Structures are given as C-alpha cells and as structure tokens.
Amino acid sequence: MDIITTIIYIVLFIIMMLFVFSIGMLRHYMPKREILLVLVVAFFIGAIGGAFFLQPIYEELPAMASAVESNMPNNEETLYLDLSSSIDTNQLRDQLSSMDGFKSFDETSITIPMWSFNEREHDYFASIVGNIDSHYKNYNVTSNEIKIELAENYTASDALKSFSDWYKLVYDDTISYAQIHAVLVVDSTKLSDFEQALLDKGIVASKIEGPIQDTVNNTNASMLSNLEFTMVCGGVGVIVSIIGIYMDSVVPLYRRFRKFMNTKRKR
C-alpha cells in the first residue's frame, strides 16, 4: 500500500471518530437512556472504520517491518533452494555470483525418487549407496527415495553422474529425475533482487532464514487476528464517544484546576 493511500485511510478513520465524538457531545439533547444506544453506535462505527480503513494498513505491518530490517547493514539472508536436476547449477551460480550482495552458493545434497522399496530392497540400497562414491558425505534411504549429502566442493552434477552410472550398470536403466538442494546466502539489502532473479528462472526458495524473515515471523506472531483488531477499533469508537459525552464536564474541571494552580503559584 502506498503512502498516499495510507494517509487517506487514516484521515477517513479520524473523520469517523470526529463524527462519533460529536454524537457524544449531543448527550444534553438526548434522554439519559439513549446514551447506551450512542455507545453501541460508536462501537459499530469504530469497528466498521477499523475493518475498512485501518485493517489494510495493519496487515501491511510485516512488510513494513521487513523493509526496515532489510536496510540494516551487514545482515545476511539464507535461501534454501530445491532445484530440478535439469537446471544448470553452474550457470545459475555464475549468474547469482555476478549480482551485488552475493555471499555464497553451495549445493548441499540431492534427492533421488525411487520406487516403493520392500524391506529387502531398502536394506540393499542402505548398504550399497555409501560405496558408490567416496564424496557422498552422508546418505539416507527411505521407503521410496534416496537423499545424499555432498562433501565440500563436490557438485550435484558429479554426484548424480556417479549414481546414475552405477544405476545404469546394475539395473540397465536411467534415472529420470532428481532434486538438487542448494543454499544461497545474500546480503539482506539485496534479498528482493535475488528473489526476482530466481523467480525469473521459475525458482522459489523453499525456506528463508535471517533477520528479515525473523522480523516478519515475530511481527506476525504478535499481531491480532482480523476479528480482534476490529473489536479493538470498535472499543476506540466507544472511548471517543465517552470522551465526547463527558467533555462538557471535563473542560470546566480542567479550567478550575488551572485557576487553582495559578493561584497557588502567586501565593
């Protein structure tokens, strides 16, 4: 939401509160039993004004907080990427590393979907995968996939080639699909640029960690629900109405208090 729209919405809500205030000041022209009706009307006006004018602004708070955090120097964001094996990771690395704010890009592991293993097949793969390539840092075999963690400075393409060559030799078949897991670290101030560059290639980070994401999460966790926020705005309308109702009583008391204080000073 742009600044002009935000200002307009806030002004419109203030106008509604001034209307509620003016209704409260008319209490001298109403029967006393009508004051409750004034409070009910004030609640609904505040709730409606909050829902239509303030709530859209309130919902933008996480985005505002992230914008402030993104301008803090020396902050880093970590993007976790799940890439198709058809993507040229070397080309992707070259493109990302040429951008301002790039810190690092590491291919951490690969996931190879398989058929649903029976117990015997599962035990076989669990015992043999580690012997295929010495650069497999660690691996995990589940009921229908194999996840292999890569040693440092070892690429996913090399790991996929070694596994594919073994699979071709043993099963006389090819691996049709695999997923590459990578970690991209960037300067927080340039996060949106990297997100757009990835999106242009059809890539969306599966998870983001860092000060910006922490700020968004903390802000979301502390925010009221839409209903609670509407109720609070309704309460504001009631408070404004009560101030209007008792304004005629408060002003004379304030004047007498000022007169008393001035008299006390002269003494």
Side-chain angles (χ1 to χ4, degrees), residues 77-85 87-90 92-94 96 102 104-111 147-151 154-157 160 178-186 198 203-209:
E77 298 294 316
T78 303
L79 292 80
Y80 295 87
L81 310 177
D82 296 329
L83 310 171
S84 169
S85 55
I87 291 179
D88 187 338
T89 53
N90 291 326
L92 179 62
R93 179 188 288 104
D94 291 341
L96 295 175
F102 174 84
S104 66
F105 178 86
D106 297 307
E107 300 167 40
T108 58
S109 62
I110 57 174
T111 298
K147 184 173 183 178
I148 302 172
E149 295 181 17
L150 308 180
Y154 194 60
T155 65
S157 60
L160 285 172
Q179 194 172 55
I180 300 171
H181 306 286
V183 176
L184 171 65
V185 181
V186 303
L198 292 170
I203 302 170
V204 177
S206 59
K207 184 174 67 172
I208 301 177
E209 292 180 348

Side-chain angles (χ1 to χ4, degrees), residues 17-245:
M17 291 301 98
L18 290 175
F19 176 70
V20 168
F21 180 81
S22 64
I23 293 177
M25 293 192 69
L26 295 176
R27 73 177 182 88
H28 294 296
Y29 305 98
M30 304 178 187
K32 288 186 177 181
R33 62 178 179 273
E34 299 296 334
I35 292 179
L36 180 60
L37 178 60
V38 170
L39 296 178
V40 172
V41 171
F43 176 83
F44 279 106
I45 292 176
I48 292 172
F52 281 95
F53 300 128
L54 294 188
Q55 190 167 303
I57 301 173
Y58 186 68
E59 291 174 347
E60 292 289 325
L61 285 181
M64 295 178 188
S66 66
V68 172
E69 188 66 41
S70 66
N71 290 316
M72 297 296 177
N74 302 321
N75 282 344
E76 294 181 350
E77 298 294 316
T78 303
L79 292 80
Y80 295 87
L81 310 177
D82 296 329
L83 310 171
S84 169
S85 55
S86 62
I87 291 179
D88 187 338
T89 53
N90 291 326
Q91 183 183 33
L92 179 62
R93 179 188 288 104
D94 291 341
Q95 178 186 349
L96 295 175
S97 62
S98 66
M99 296 176 61
D100 185 27
F102 174 84
K103 298 293 184 180
S104 66
F105 178 86
D106 297 307
E107 300 167 40
T108 58
S109 62
I110 57 174
T111 298
I112 306 171
M114 306 292 283
W115 64 88
S116 295
F117 295 141
N118 57 39
E119 185 176 351
R120 181 180 177 183
E121 290 169 332
H122 177 276
D123 292 342
Y124 170 71
F125 277 97
S127 64
I128 199 65
V129 171
N131 298 322
I132 296 174
D133 191 324
S134 61
H135 293 94
Y136 294 173
K137 181 179 178 181
N138 199 2
Y139 66 93
N140 182 45
V141 180
T142 64
S143 60
N144 61 355
E145 68 178 22
I146 300 172
K147 184 173 183 178
I148 302 172
E149 295 181 17
L150 308 180
E152 190 175 353
N153 299 323
Y154 194 60
T155 65
S157 60
D158 290 335
L160 285 172
K161 184 179 184 307
S162 63
F163 186 90
S164 180
D165 289 345
W166 170 85
Y167 189 81
K168 177 70 174 177
L169 178 65
V170 174
Y171 290 94
D172 194 27
D173 199 0
T174 57
I175 299 297
S176 59
Y177 175 77
Q179 194 172 55
I180 300 171
H181 306 286
V183 176
L184 171 65
V185 181
V186 303
D187 192 303
S188 294
T189 59
K190 302 296 182 180
L191 175 61
S192 59
D193 295 340
F194 282 91
E195 286 181 316
Q196 185 59 52
L198 292 170
L199 188 60
D200 291 341
K201 288 184 170 294
I203 302 170
V204 177
S206 59
K207 184 174 67 172
I208 301 177
E209 292 180 348
I212 293 179
Q213 195 61 39
D214 291 342
T215 299
V216 172
N217 293 338
N218 293 336
T219 303
N220 283 327
S222 63
M223 290 178 67
L224 302 173
S225 67
N226 290 344
L227 179 60
E228 290 171 338
F229 183 76
T230 301
M231 294 297 103
V232 169
C233 291
V236 171
V238 172
I239 293 172
V240 172
S241 177
I242 291 174
I243 293 174
I245 290 172

